[in-house]
């Protein structure tokens, strides 16, 4: 989309995505004591010292992928969270999931992209680890990489509306973006079920 070529638009998008992921990660950090969670290759032994905002800014600065890749990466993260409920996004894995999702999106979307060794340097990890992350991320998605124009537009429109409100990400509601009543101990996802297109419009209008 033409709007994504606007540097100011992308700056706002990166900021909003960072804020959203921080909200989701912190929410799932609180939930980890109430729901069993698996340890995966995405988990670090400690929380990274670099903030999600700074990390995503770094990826945006050095990955040189098309702006659409960040929307597609967001779709992938949501699919991953829905397909792997025992591996919720939290403060210990969000950075590795981010670099994996953007790299996979770039490879799927762009005609030209950097190799795994380059993304490993951008992400601050070894090439070997980057290779393992890519494989596990692909299997976690069930190799469901295709993003239809309708799905892309739905996710992009959702993000755009939230950004236009110029407010922090909403506290999570009946969609996966909010806690909702009686859901405070449940795993928080990122967005919504992309296949329920008719229901999406109702959610986005809320």
């Amino acid at each position: 989309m033409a709007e994504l070529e606007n540097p100011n638009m992308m700056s706002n998008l990166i900021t909003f995505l960072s804020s959203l992921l921080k909200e989701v990660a912190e929410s799932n950090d609180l939930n980890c004591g109430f729901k069993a969670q698996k340890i995966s290759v995405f988990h670090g032994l400690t929380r990274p010292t670099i903030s999600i905002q700074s990390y995503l800014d770094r990826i945006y600065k050095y990955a040189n992928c098309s702006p659409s890749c960040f929307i597609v990466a967001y779709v992938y993260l949501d699919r991953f969270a829905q397909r792997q409920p025992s591996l919720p996004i939290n403060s210990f894995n969000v950075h590795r999931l981010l670099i994996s999702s953007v790299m996979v999106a770039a490879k799927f979307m762009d005609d030209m992209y950097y190799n795994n060794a380059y993304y490993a340097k951008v992400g601050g990890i070894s090439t070997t680890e980057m290779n393992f992350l890519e494989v596990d991320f692909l299997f976690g998605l069930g190799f469901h990489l295709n993003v239809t124009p309708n799905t892309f537009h739905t996710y992009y429109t959702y993000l755009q509306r939230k950004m236009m409100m110029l407010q922090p990400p909403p506290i999570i509601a009946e969609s996966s973006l909010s806690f909702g009543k009686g859901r405070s101990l449940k795993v928080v996802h990122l967005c919504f079920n992309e296949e329920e297109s008719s229901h999406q419009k109702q959610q986005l209008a809320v």
Side-chain angles (χ1 to χ4, degrees):
M1 295 185 176
E3 299 97 326
L4 292 176
E5 301 297 331
N6 185 329
N8 291 331
M9 177 63 182
M10 278 307 299
S11 177
N12 291 337
L13 176 63
I14 294 300
T15 299
F16 182 80
L17 278 177
S18 301
S19 182
L20 172 62
L21 287 168
K22 183 175 183 289
E23 179 86 15
V24 172
E26 291 178 349
S27 298
N28 286 330
D29 286 345
L30 295 175
N31 295 343
C32 68
F34 304 96
K35 186 176 180 67
Q37 298 182 8
K38 291 182 180 178
I39 300 300
S40 70
V41 296
F42 301 102
H43 283 71
L45 295 177
T46 59
R47 291 182 177 88
T49 56
I50 184 172
S51 68
I52 297 174
Q53 171 79 60
S54 297
Y55 196 68
L56 195 53
D57 282 338
R58 176 179 172 83
I59 295 173
Y60 175 61
K61 180 178 180 180
Y62 293 108
N64 291 321
C65 58
S66 63
S68 297
C69 289
F70 290 90
I71 304 297
V72 173
Y74 172 61
V75 176
Y76 288 168
L77 287 172
D78 195 33
R79 287 177 180 175
F80 187 93
Q82 292 185 36
R83 289 178 61 90
Q84 307 297 327
S86 62
L87 294 175
I89 295 173
N90 57 42
S91 297
F92 293 90
N93 63 23
V94 62
H95 295 75
R96 287 176 173 82
L97 284 170
L98 259 177
I99 191 68
S100 302
S101 63
V102 173
M103 186 182 75
V104 170
K107 287 186 174 185
F108 189 78
M109 294 289 293
D110 294 349
D111 294 328
M112 298 180 64
Y113 51 83
Y114 290 113
N115 60 21
N116 288 27
Y118 182 86
Y119 272 95
K121 290 182 179 179
V122 173
I125 57 179
S126 68
T127 302
T128 299
E129 184 176 6
M130 188 75 258
N131 293 339
F132 278 119
L133 292 178
E134 179 184 28
V135 172
D136 275 48
F137 191 72
L138 289 171
F139 274 97
L141 289 174
F143 291 86
H144 182 199
L145 300 180
N146 187 49
V147 176
T148 65
N150 181 62
T151 296
F152 183 94
H153 182 264
T154 299
Y155 277 76
Y156 175 65
T157 301
Y158 177 87
L159 292 172
Q160 190 177 42
R161 288 186 180 184
K162 294 300 180 183
M163 287 188 293
M164 289 178 65
M165 293 170 63
L166 297 177
Q167 295 179 353
I171 296 177
I172 305 191
E174 282 297 312
S175 71
S176 337
L177 270 176
S178 66
F179 295 111
K181 297 180 179 179
R183 292 173 58 89
S184 58
L185 300 184
K186 294 188 178 181
V187 175
V188 177
H189 296 312
L190 290 175
C191 192
F192 38 73
N193 187 340
E194 62 186 272
E195 295 180 358
E196 298 178 358
S197 57
S198 61
H199 185 53
Q200 288 171 7
K201 295 180 180 178
Q202 296 177 0
Q203 289 178 322
L204 294 177
V206 173

